[in-house]
Amino acid sequence: MPNKTPVGILGATGIVGQRFVQMLEHHPWFEVAWLAASDRSEGKLYGEAARWRMKTSLPDRVAQMRVSPASPEGAPKIIFAALDASIASELEPRFANAGCAVVSNSSALRMQSDVPLVIPEVNPDHIKLLECQTWRKKSHGFVVTNPNCSAIGLVMALAPLQQQFGIETVMAVTMQAVSGAGYPGVASLDILGNVIPYIPKEEEKMEEETLKLLGQINGSKIIPAPFGMSAHCNRVAVEDGHTESVSIKLKKKPKPEEIIHSWTEFRSVPQELKLPSAPEQPLRYISNADRPQPRFDVDAGHGMSASVGRLRPCSVLDWKFTVLSHNTIRGAAGAALLNAELLKVQGYLD
Ligand SMILES: NC(=O)c1ccc[n+]([C@@H]2O[C@H](COP(=O)([O-])OP(=O)(O)OC[C@H]3O[C@@H](n4cnc5c(N)ncnc54)[C@H](OP(=O)(O)O)[C@@H]3O)[C@@H](O)[C@H]2O)c1
């Protein structure tokens, strides 16, 4: 415990909350000191309140912690938030107002103009937006968000293409894992042997978040990236890992090896700073014709790398490819942890 910064988890009993518990267990900088969930869990031992779904054991120390009420009194300064959007829209501002640094997974505030939506490899400079937040000016509290679990893998693959070749149009079709719907999530009778071509609000989130993430910061606002973007989102019977089929039109006309090189050589601030949760290689390209697949590739880089494959010409746009990323690690808890690590080295958590 000495030398580690105490952190809290809001929504600690859910799928993303559990992933936070798992990922923080051996974290070199942060340590779980407070857990909160709904009044259904409040007052119980965490081990009783959470139906543990991770493949590693629930740490004993955390199992014995008591679930606190979801209110800022008694909470540590740094809060990882994993709440449904409807609840987050009320609770996250309350914690920020009370002086907490809220590192959120929820969509509630992602598109608010003064709230940074950040992937540390892609747009670390957007963190500066938090200086415009009223909470920050009043109590030093703030909210920083990470993107939707389907936007993050796509945007990681698009970032080097946009930097080097410019993007004109993107079409993406997702095949999203059931763990993306939380626990218990989608009923087994709805998803077994089935594909559900509808995830509420997911297509809108993917489209608007992609343009904000790849946009430019200009003083107190983000100018969205100026390309056309269309997403189709589907739920499939996969446990973890969102796979996406992407078609893209670029401004320049690179050779395929130049595109692959832009992915495999992509490194950014988290790698330069050697942040603890940063993967060595954020994007890996797999040349096997039938990869990436969730079964084999979802845990690449401890779940923090996105895997790209199947680059080939597109007869409508320029190129087609497949990208896969882990929805509860790179798409949720790991994304928030990396954001918090970046905030720490920049002095925002002091
Ligand atoms: N799953 C993913 O792959 C993923 C990826 C990216 C982002 N997200 C986002 O992360 C958030 C959490 O998702 P999840 O999948 O972990 O959902 P989940 O499994 O349904 O967990 C929801 C959590 O919120 C708590 N909660 C519910 N009502 C509450 C209230 N009134 N006050 C305080 N806590 C309350 C629940 O506590 P109880 O157990 O006490 O009910 C539980 O801890 C969502 O906004 C989701 O969109 C999820």
Side-chain angles (χ1 to χ4, degrees), residues 9-20 36-42 44 46 49-51 53 67-71 81-88 90-92 104-108 110 146-150 152 176-185 202 205 235 239-242 326-333 335:
I9 307 173
L10 197 48
T13 49
I15 284 289
V16 176
Q18 293 184 24
R19 189 64 82 181
F20 275 122
S38 77
D39 52 12
R40 294 178 288 277
S41 306
E42 185 186 322
K44 293 184 184 163
Y46 183 78
R51 192 169 152 79
R53 306 309 302 157
V67 179
S68 298
S71 102
L83 297 166
D84 287 338
S86 58
I87 301 144
E90 182 203 327
L91 285 186
E92 290 179 358
S104 166
N105 272 278
S106 152
S107 61
R110 279 181 202 146
N146 50 264
N148 175 279
C149 44
S150 50
I152 199 158
Q176 299 183 218
V178 285
S179 61
Y183 189 82
E202 196 80 351
K205 286 185 210 166
R235 186 76 69 198
E239 186 182 354
D240 288 316
H242 291 352
H326 197 304
N327 53 292
T328 65
I329 300 181
R330 185 41 111 153

Coordinates of all heavy atoms in Angstrom, one line a residue, residues 9-20 36-42 44 46 49-51 53 67-71 81-88 90-92 104-108 110 146-150 152 176-185 202 205 235 239-242 326-333 335, ligand 1:
I9 N -13.6 2.8 -7.4 CA -14.3 2.3 -8.6 C -15.8 2.5 -8.3 O -16.3 1.9 -7.3 CB -14.0 0.8 -8.8 CG1 -12.5 0.5 -8.9 CG2 -14.7 0.4 -10.1 CD1 -12.1 -0.9 -9.0
L10 N -16.4 3.2 -9.2 CA -17.8 3.5 -9.1 C -18.5 2.5 -10.2 O -18.1 2.6 -11.3 CB -18.0 4.9 -9.5 CG -19.3 5.7 -9.3 CD1 -19.8 5.5 -7.8 CD2 -19.0 7.2 -9.6
G11 N -19.4 1.7 -9.7 CA -19.9 0.7 -10.6 C -19.0 -0.5 -10.5 O -18.8 -1.2 -11.5
A12 N -18.5 -0.8 -9.3 CA -17.4 -1.8 -9.2 C -17.9 -3.2 -9.4 O -17.0 -4.1 -9.7 CB -16.8 -1.6 -7.8
T13 N -19.2 -3.5 -9.2 CA -19.6 -4.9 -9.3 C -20.0 -5.3 -10.7 O -20.1 -6.5 -11.0 CB -20.9 -5.0 -8.5 OG1 -21.8 -3.9 -8.8 CG2 -20.6 -4.9 -7.0
G14 N -20.0 -4.4 -11.7 CA -20.4 -4.8 -13.1 C -19.2 -5.4 -13.8 O -18.1 -5.6 -13.3
I15 N -19.4 -5.6 -15.1 CA -18.3 -6.3 -15.9 C -17.1 -5.4 -16.0 O -16.0 -5.8 -15.8 CB -18.9 -6.6 -17.3 CG1 -19.8 -7.8 -17.3 CG2 -17.8 -6.8 -18.4 CD1 -19.1 -9.1 -17.0
V16 N -17.3 -4.1 -16.3 CA -16.1 -3.2 -16.4 C -15.5 -2.9 -15.0 O -14.3 -2.9 -14.9 CB -16.5 -1.9 -17.1 CG1 -15.4 -0.9 -17.2 CG2 -17.0 -2.2 -18.5
G17 N -16.4 -2.8 -14.0 CA -15.9 -2.6 -12.6 C -15.0 -3.8 -12.2 O -13.9 -3.6 -11.6
Q18 N -15.4 -5.0 -12.6 CA -14.6 -6.2 -12.2 C -13.3 -6.2 -13.0 O -12.2 -6.5 -12.5 CB -15.4 -7.4 -12.6 CG -16.6 -7.6 -11.7 CD -17.3 -8.9 -11.9 OE1 -16.8 -9.9 -12.4 NE2 -18.6 -9.0 -11.6
R19 N -13.3 -5.7 -14.2 CA -12.1 -5.6 -15.0 C -11.1 -4.6 -14.4 O -9.9 -4.9 -14.3 CB -12.4 -5.3 -16.5 CG -11.3 -5.4 -17.4 CD -10.8 -6.8 -17.6 NE -11.5 -7.6 -18.5 CZ -11.2 -8.9 -18.8 NH1 -10.2 -9.5 -18.2 NH2 -11.9 -9.5 -19.7
F20 N -11.7 -3.5 -13.8 CA -10.8 -2.6 -13.1 C -10.2 -3.3 -11.9 O -9.0 -3.1 -11.7 CB -11.6 -1.4 -12.6 CG -11.8 -0.3 -13.6 CD1 -13.1 0.1 -13.9 CD2 -10.7 0.4 -14.1 CE1 -13.3 1.2 -14.8 CE2 -10.9 1.4 -15.0 CZ -12.2 1.8 -15.4
A36 N -17.8 1.2 -5.0 CA -19.2 1.6 -4.8 C -20.1 1.0 -6.0 O -19.5 0.8 -7.1 CB -19.4 3.1 -4.8
A37 N -21.3 0.8 -5.7 CA -22.3 0.3 -6.7 C -23.7 0.8 -6.4 O -23.8 1.8 -5.7 CB -22.2 -1.2 -6.8
S38 N -24.7 0.1 -6.8 CA -26.1 0.6 -6.5 C -26.4 0.2 -5.1 O -25.7 -0.5 -4.4 CB -27.0 -0.1 -7.5 OG -27.3 -1.4 -7.0
D39 N -27.6 0.7 -4.7 CA -28.1 0.4 -3.3 C -28.4 -1.1 -3.2 O -28.5 -1.6 -2.1 CB -29.2 1.3 -2.9 CG -30.4 1.3 -3.9 OD1 -30.4 0.4 -4.8 OD2 -31.2 2.2 -3.7
R40 N -28.4 -1.9 -4.3 CA -28.6 -3.3 -4.2 C -27.3 -4.0 -3.6 O -27.4 -5.0 -2.9 CB -28.8 -4.0 -5.6 CG -30.1 -3.6 -6.2 CD -30.2 -4.3 -7.6 NE -29.3 -3.6 -8.6 CZ -29.6 -2.5 -9.3 NH1 -30.8 -1.9 -9.1 NH2 -28.8 -2.0 -10.1
S41 N -26.2 -3.3 -3.8 CA -24.9 -3.9 -3.4 C -24.3 -3.2 -2.1 O -23.5 -3.7 -1.4 CB -23.8 -3.7 -4.5 OG -24.3 -4.3 -5.7
E42 N -24.8 -2.0 -1.9 CA -24.2 -1.1 -0.8 C -24.3 -1.9 0.5 O -25.3 -2.5 0.8 CB -25.1 0.1 -0.8 CG -24.6 1.2 0.2 CD -25.6 2.3 0.3 OE1 -26.2 2.7 -0.7 OE2 -25.8 2.8 1.4
K44 N -22.8 -4.5 1.4 CA -22.3 -5.9 1.4 C -20.8 -6.0 1.2 O -20.2 -5.0 0.7 CB -23.0 -6.6 0.2 CG -24.5 -6.8 0.3 CD -25.0 -7.6 -0.9 CE -26.5 -7.7 -0.9 NZ -27.0 -8.1 -2.2
Y46 N -17.7 -7.0 -1.0 CA -17.6 -7.0 -2.4 C -17.7 -8.5 -3.0 O -18.4 -8.7 -4.0 CB -16.3 -6.4 -2.9 CG -16.1 -6.3 -4.4 CD1 -16.8 -5.4 -5.2 CD2 -15.4 -7.3 -5.1 CE1 -16.7 -5.3 -6.5 CE2 -15.2 -7.2 -6.5 CZ -15.9 -6.3 -7.2 OH -15.8 -6.2 -8.6
A49 N -21.3 -9.2 -3.1 CA -22.1 -8.3 -4.0 C -21.9 -8.5 -5.5 O -22.8 -8.4 -6.3 CB -21.9 -6.8 -3.7
A50 N -20.6 -8.8 -5.8 CA -20.2 -9.0 -7.2 C -20.3 -10.4 -7.7 O -19.8 -11.3 -7.0 CB -18.8 -8.5 -7.5
R51 N -21.0 -10.7 -8.8 CA -20.9 -12.1 -9.4 C -19.7 -12.1 -10.2 O -19.7 -11.6 -11.4 CB -22.2 -12.3 -10.2 CG -22.4 -13.7 -10.6 CD -23.8 -14.0 -11.1 NE -23.8 -15.0 -12.1 CZ -23.8 -16.3 -11.8 NH1 -23.8 -16.7 -10.5 NH2 -23.9 -17.2 -12.7
R53 N -16.9 -12.5 -12.7 CA -16.9 -13.1 -14.1 C -15.5 -13.1 -14.7 O -15.4 -13.5 -15.8 CB -17.8 -12.3 -15.0 CG -19.3 -12.1 -14.6 CD -20.0 -13.4 -14.1 NE -20.0 -14.4 -15.1 CZ -20.2 -15.7 -14.8 NH1 -20.2 -16.1 -13.6 NH2 -20.2 -16.6 -15.8
V67 N -18.9 -2.6 0.2 CA -19.3 -1.7 -0.9 C -19.9 -0.4 -0.3 O -20.8 -0.5 0.5 CB -20.3 -2.4 -1.8 CG1 -20.8 -1.5 -2.9 CG2 -19.7 -3.7 -2.4
S68 N -19.4 0.7 -0.7 CA -19.8 2.0 -0.2 C -21.0 2.5 -1.0 O -21.2 2.1 -2.1 CB -18.7 3.0 -0.3 OG -17.6 2.6 0.5
P69 N -21.7 3.5 -0.4 CA -22.7 4.2 -1.2 C -22.1 5.0 -2.3 O -20.9 5.4 -2.2 CB -23.4 5.2 -0.2 CG -22.7 4.9 1.2 CD -21.6 4.0 1.0
A70 N -22.8 5.1 -3.4 CA -22.2 5.8 -4.6 C -22.3 7.3 -4.4 O -23.1 8.0 -5.1 CB -22.9 5.4 -5.8
S71 N -21.6 7.8 -3.4 CA -21.6 9.3 -3.2 C -20.2 9.7 -2.8 O -19.4 8.9 -2.3 CB -22.6 9.6 -2.1 OG -22.0 9.8 -0.9
A81 N -14.9 5.3 -13.2 CA -16.3 5.1 -13.2 C -16.8 4.2 -14.3 O -16.3 4.3 -15.5 CB -17.0 6.5 -13.4
A82 N -17.6 3.2 -13.9 CA -18.2 2.2 -14.9 C -19.6 2.1 -14.6 O -20.1 1.0 -14.3 CB -17.4 0.9 -14.7
L83 N -20.4 3.2 -14.9 CA -21.8 3.2 -14.6 C -22.6 3.3 -15.9 O -22.1 3.8 -16.9 CB -22.2 4.5 -13.8 CG -21.6 4.6 -12.4 CD1 -21.8 6.1 -12.0 CD2 -22.2 3.7 -11.5
D84 N -23.8 2.8 -15.9 CA -24.7 3.0 -17.1 C -24.8 4.5 -17.3 O -24.8 5.3 -16.4 CB -26.1 2.5 -16.8 CG -26.1 1.0 -16.9 OD1 -25.2 0.4 -17.5 OD2 -27.0 0.4 -16.2
A85 N -25.0 4.9 -18.6 CA -25.0 6.3 -18.9 C -26.0 7.1 -18.2 O -25.8 8.2 -17.7 CB -25.2 6.5 -20.4
S86 N -27.2 6.5 -18.0 CA -28.3 7.2 -17.3 C -27.9 7.6 -15.9 O -28.3 8.7 -15.4 CB -29.6 6.4 -17.3 OG -29.3 5.2 -16.7
I87 N -27.2 6.7 -15.2 CA -26.8 7.0 -13.8 C -25.5 7.9 -13.8 O -25.4 8.8 -13.0 CB -26.5 5.7 -13.1 CG1 -27.8 4.9 -13.1 CG2 -26.1 5.9 -11.7 CD1 -27.6 3.4 -13.3
A88 N -24.6 7.6 -14.8 CA -23.4 8.4 -14.9 C -23.7 9.9 -15.1 O -23.0 10.8 -14.5 CB -22.5 7.9 -16.0
E90 N -25.8 11.7 -13.9 CA -26.1 12.4 -12.6 C -24.9 12.3 -11.6 O -24.5 13.2 -11.0 CB -27.3 11.7 -12.0 CG -27.8 12.3 -10.7 CD -28.6 11.3 -9.9 OE1 -29.3 10.4 -10.4 OE2 -28.5 11.4 -8.6
L91 N -24.3 11.1 -11.6 CA -23.3 10.9 -10.5 C -21.9 11.4 -10.9 O -21.2 11.9 -10.0 CB -23.1 9.4 -10.2 CG -24.3 8.7 -9.4 CD1 -23.9 7.3 -9.0 CD2 -24.5 9.5 -8.1
E92 N -21.5 11.3 -12.1 CA -20.1 11.8 -12.5 C -20.0 13.3 -12.2 O -19.0 13.7 -11.6 CB -19.8 11.4 -13.9 CG -19.6 9.9 -14.1 CD -19.2 9.5 -15.5 OE1 -19.2 10.3 -16.4 OE2 -19.0 8.3 -15.7
S104 N -13.8 8.2 -16.7 CA -15.1 7.5 -17.0 C -15.1 6.7 -18.3 O -14.5 7.0 -19.3 CB -16.2 8.6 -17.1 OG -17.3 8.1 -17.7
N105 N -15.9 5.6 -18.2 CA -16.1 4.7 -19.3 C -17.5 5.0 -20.0 O -17.8 4.4 -21.0 CB -16.3 3.3 -18.8 CG -15.0 2.6 -18.7 OD1 -14.5 2.1 -19.8 ND2 -14.4 2.6 -17.6
S106 N -18.3 5.8 -19.3 CA -19.7 5.9 -19.8 C -19.8 6.9 -21.0 O -19.0 7.8 -21.1 CB -20.5 6.4 -18.6 OG -21.6 7.1 -19.0
S107 N -20.9 6.8 -21.7 CA -21.1 7.7 -22.8 C -21.7 9.0 -22.4 O -21.8 10.0 -23.2 CB -22.0 7.0 -23.9 OG -23.2 6.7 -23.3
A108 N -22.1 9.1 -21.1 CA -23.0 10.2 -20.6 C -22.4 11.6 -21.0 O -23.1 12.5 -21.5 CB -23.2 10.1 -19.1
R110 N -19.3 12.0 -22.8 CA -18.2 12.0 -23.8 C -18.2 13.1 -24.9 O -17.2 13.6 -25.3 CB -18.3 10.6 -24.6 CG -17.6 9.5 -23.9 CD -17.8 8.2 -24.8 NE -17.7 7.0 -24.0 CZ -18.4 5.9 -24.2 NH1 -19.2 5.8 -25.3 NH2 -18.2 4.9 -23.5
N146 N -13.1 7.8 -21.9 CA -12.5 7.0 -23.0 C -13.7 6.6 -23.9 O -14.8 6.7 -23.5 CB -11.7 5.8 -22.5 CG -12.5 5.0 -21.5 OD1 -12.3 5.1 -20.3 ND2 -13.3 4.1 -22.0
P147 N -13.4 6.2 -25.1 CA -14.5 6.0 -26.1 C -15.2 4.7 -25.9 O -14.8 3.8 -25.1 CB -13.8 6.0 -27.4 CG -12.3 5.8 -27.2 CD -12.1 6.2 -25.8
N148 N -16.3 4.7 -26.6 CA -17.1 3.4 -26.8 C -16.2 2.3 -27.2 O -15.2 2.5 -28.0 CB -18.1 3.8 -27.8 CG -19.0 2.6 -28.2 OD1 -18.6 1.8 -29.0 ND2 -20.1 2.5 -27.6
C149 N -16.5 1.1 -26.8 CA -15.6 -0.1 -27.0 C -15.5 -0.4 -28.5 O -14.5 -1.1 -28.9 CB -16.1 -1.3 -26.2 SG -17.9 -1.5 -26.3
S150 N -16.5 0.0 -29.3 CA -16.3 -0.3 -30.8 C -15.6 0.8 -31.5 O -14.9 0.6 -32.5 CB -17.7 -0.6 -31.4 OG -18.5 0.5 -31.1
I152 N -13.0 2.4 -30.2 CA -11.6 2.5 -29.9 C -10.7 1.7 -30.8 O -9.7 2.2 -31.3 CB -11.3 2.2 -28.4 CG1 -10.0 2.7 -27.9 CG2 -11.5 0.7 -28.1 CD1 -9.9 2.9 -26.4
Q176 N -19.9 -7.4 -32.5 CA -19.6 -7.1 -31.1 C -19.9 -8.2 -30.1 O -21.0 -8.8 -30.1 CB -20.2 -5.8 -30.7 CG -19.8 -4.6 -31.6 CD -20.4 -3.3 -31.2 OE1 -20.7 -2.5 -32.1 NE2 -20.5 -3.0 -30.0
A177 N -19.0 -8.4 -29.2 CA -19.1 -9.5 -28.2 C -20.2 -9.2 -27.2 O -20.5 -8.0 -26.9 CB -17.8 -9.6 -27.4
V178 N -20.7 -10.3 -26.6 CA -21.8 -10.1 -25.6 C -21.4 -9.4 -24.3 O -22.2 -8.7 -23.7 CB -22.5 -11.5 -25.2 CG1 -23.4 -11.9 -26.4 CG2 -21.5 -12.5 -24.9
S179 N -20.1 -9.5 -23.9 CA -19.7 -8.9 -22.7 C -19.7 -7.3 -22.8 O -19.7 -6.6 -21.8 CB -18.2 -9.3 -22.3 OG -17.3 -8.9 -23.4
G180 N -19.9 -6.9 -24.1 CA -20.0 -5.4 -24.3 C -21.4 -4.9 -23.7 O -21.5 -3.7 -23.6
A181 N -22.3 -5.8 -23.5 CA -23.6 -5.4 -22.9 C -23.6 -5.5 -21.4 O -24.7 -5.4 -20.8 CB -24.7 -6.2 -23.6
G182 N -22.5 -5.7 -20.8 CA -22.5 -5.8 -19.3 C -23.0 -7.1 -18.8 O -23.2 -8.0 -19.6
Y183 N -23.3 -7.2 -17.5 CA -23.8 -8.5 -16.9 C -25.1 -8.3 -16.3 O -25.3 -7.3 -15.6 CB -22.7 -9.0 -15.9 CG -23.1 -10.4 -15.5 CD1 -22.8 -11.5 -16.3 CD2 -23.9 -10.6 -14.3 CE1 -23.1 -12.8 -15.9 CE2 -24.2 -11.9 -14.0 CZ -23.9 -13.0 -14.7 OH -24.3 -14.2 -14.4
P184 N -26.1 -9.1 -16.5 CA -26.1 -10.3 -17.3 C -26.2 -10.0 -18.8 O -26.1 -11.0 -19.6 CB -27.3 -11.1 -16.8 CG -28.3 -10.0 -16.3 CD -27.4 -8.9 -15.8
G185 N -26.4 -8.8 -19.2 CA -26.3 -8.5 -20.6 C -27.4 -9.1 -21.5 O -28.6 -9.1 -21.1
E202 N -25.5 2.6 -30.5 CA -24.1 2.3 -30.8 C -23.6 2.9 -32.1 O -22.4 3.4 -32.1 CB -24.0 0.8 -30.8 CG -22.5 0.3 -30.7 CD -22.0 0.2 -29.3 OE1 -22.7 0.8 -28.4 OE2 -21.0 -0.3 -29.1
K205 N -22.9 6.6 -31.6 CA -21.7 6.8 -30.8 C -20.5 6.6 -31.6 O -19.5 7.4 -31.5 CB -21.7 5.8 -29.6 CG -22.7 6.2 -28.5 CD -22.4 5.2 -27.3 CE -23.7 4.9 -26.6 NZ -23.6 3.8 -25.7
R235 N -24.5 -7.4 -32.7 CA -24.1 -8.2 -31.6 C -24.0 -9.6 -32.0 O -25.0 -10.1 -32.7 CB -25.2 -8.1 -30.4 CG -24.8 -8.7 -29.2 CD -23.8 -8.0 -28.3 NE -24.3 -6.7 -27.8 CZ -23.5 -5.7 -27.3 NH1 -22.2 -5.8 -27.4 NH2 -24.0 -4.6 -26.8
E239 N -17.7 -14.1 -26.7 CA -17.6 -13.7 -25.3 C -16.9 -12.3 -25.2 O -17.5 -11.4 -24.6 CB -16.9 -14.7 -24.5 CG -16.9 -14.4 -23.0 CD -16.1 -15.4 -22.2 OE1 -15.6 -16.5 -22.8 OE2 -15.9 -15.2 -21.0
D240 N -15.7 -12.2 -25.6 CA -14.9 -11.0 -25.6 C -14.3 -10.6 -26.9 O -13.8 -11.5 -27.5 CB -13.8 -11.1 -24.5 CG -14.2 -11.2 -23.1 OD1 -15.1 -10.4 -22.7 OD2 -13.7 -12.0 -22.3
G241 N -14.3 -9.4 -27.3 CA -13.6 -9.0 -28.5 C -14.5 -8.5 -29.6 O -15.4 -9.2 -30.0
H242 N -14.4 -7.2 -30.0 CA -15.2 -6.7 -31.0 C -14.4 -6.7 -32.3 O -13.3 -6.2 -32.4 CB -15.6 -5.2 -30.7 CG -16.5 -5.0 -29.6 ND1 -17.2 -6.1 -28.9 CD2 -17.0 -3.9 -29.0 CE1 -17.9 -5.6 -28.0 NE2 -17.8 -4.3 -28.0
H326 N -10.0 -5.8 -27.7 CA -10.7 -6.4 -26.5 C -11.6 -5.3 -25.9 O -11.2 -4.2 -25.5 CB -9.7 -6.8 -25.5 CG -10.2 -7.7 -24.4 ND1 -11.3 -7.4 -23.6 CD2 -9.8 -9.0 -24.1 CE1 -11.6 -8.4 -22.8 NE2 -10.7 -9.4 -23.1
N327 N -12.9 -5.6 -25.9 CA -13.9 -4.6 -25.5 C -13.9 -4.2 -24.0 O -14.1 -3.0 -23.7 CB -15.3 -5.0 -25.9 CG -15.7 -6.3 -25.4 OD1 -15.2 -7.3 -25.8 ND2 -16.7 -6.4 -24.5
T328 N -13.5 -5.1 -23.1 CA -13.5 -4.7 -21.7 C -12.1 -4.3 -21.2 O -12.0 -3.7 -20.1 CB -14.1 -5.7 -20.7 OG1 -13.3 -6.9 -20.7 CG2 -15.5 -6.1 -21.1
I329 N -11.1 -4.6 -22.0 CA -9.7 -4.1 -21.6 C -9.4 -2.9 -22.5 O -9.6 -1.7 -22.0 CB -8.7 -5.2 -21.8 CG1 -9.1 -6.4 -20.9 CG2 -7.3 -4.7 -21.4 CD1 -8.1 -7.6 -21.0
R330 N -9.0 -3.0 -23.7 CA -8.7 -1.8 -24.5 C -10.0 -0.9 -24.7 O -9.9 0.3 -24.8 CB -8.1 -2.2 -25.8 CG -7.6 -1.0 -26.7 CD -6.9 0.1 -26.0 NE -5.5 0.2 -26.2 CZ -4.8 1.3 -26.1 NH1 -5.3 2.5 -25.8 NH2 -3.5 1.3 -26.4
G331 N -11.1 -1.5 -24.7 CA -12.4 -0.8 -24.9 C -13.0 -0.2 -23.6 O -14.0 0.4 -23.7
A332 N -12.4 -0.5 -22.5 CA -13.1 0.0 -21.3 C -12.0 0.2 -20.1 O -11.4 1.3 -20.1 CB -14.2 -1.0 -20.8
A333 N -11.8 -0.8 -19.2 CA -11.0 -0.6 -18.1 C -9.6 -0.2 -18.4 O -9.0 0.7 -17.8 CB -11.1 -1.8 -17.1
A335 N -8.5 1.2 -21.1 CA -8.4 2.5 -21.7 C -8.4 3.6 -20.7 O -7.7 4.6 -20.7 CB -9.6 2.7 -22.7
Ligands
LIG1 N1 -18.9 -3.9 -21.2 C1 -18.1 -3.3 -22.0 O1 -17.5 -3.9 -22.9 C2 -18.0 -1.8 -22.0 C3 -17.1 -1.2 -22.8 C4 -17.0 0.2 -22.8 C5 -17.8 1.0 -22.0 N2 -18.7 0.4 -21.2 C6 -19.6 1.2 -20.4 O2 -19.2 1.1 -19.1 C7 -20.3 1.3 -18.2 C8 -20.5 0.0 -17.4 O3 -20.7 -1.1 -18.2 P1 -20.8 -2.6 -17.7 O4 -20.7 -3.4 -18.9 O5 -19.8 -2.8 -16.6 O6 -22.3 -2.6 -17.0 P2 -22.9 -3.6 -15.9 O7 -22.2 -4.9 -15.9 O8 -24.3 -3.6 -16.1 O9 -22.5 -2.9 -14.5 C9 -23.2 -1.7 -14.1 C10 -22.6 -1.2 -12.7 O10 -23.3 0.0 -12.4 C11 -23.8 -0.2 -11.0 N3 -25.1 0.6 -10.9 C12 -26.3 0.4 -11.4 N4 -27.2 1.3 -11.0 C13 -26.5 2.1 -10.1 C14 -26.8 3.2 -9.3 N5 -28.1 3.7 -9.3 N6 -25.9 3.8 -8.5 C15 -24.6 3.3 -8.5 N7 -24.2 2.3 -9.2 C16 -25.2 1.7 -10.0 C17 -24.1 -1.6 -10.9 O11 -24.2 -2.0 -9.5 P3 -25.1 -3.2 -9.0 O12 -24.3 -4.5 -9.2 O13 -25.2 -2.9 -7.5 O14 -26.3 -3.2 -9.7 C18 -22.8 -2.2 -11.6 O15 -21.7 -2.1 -10.7 C19 -21.5 1.5 -19.2 O16 -21.7 2.9 -19.3 C20 -21.1 0.9 -20.5 O17 -21.7 1.5 -21.6 C21 -18.9 -1.0 -21.2

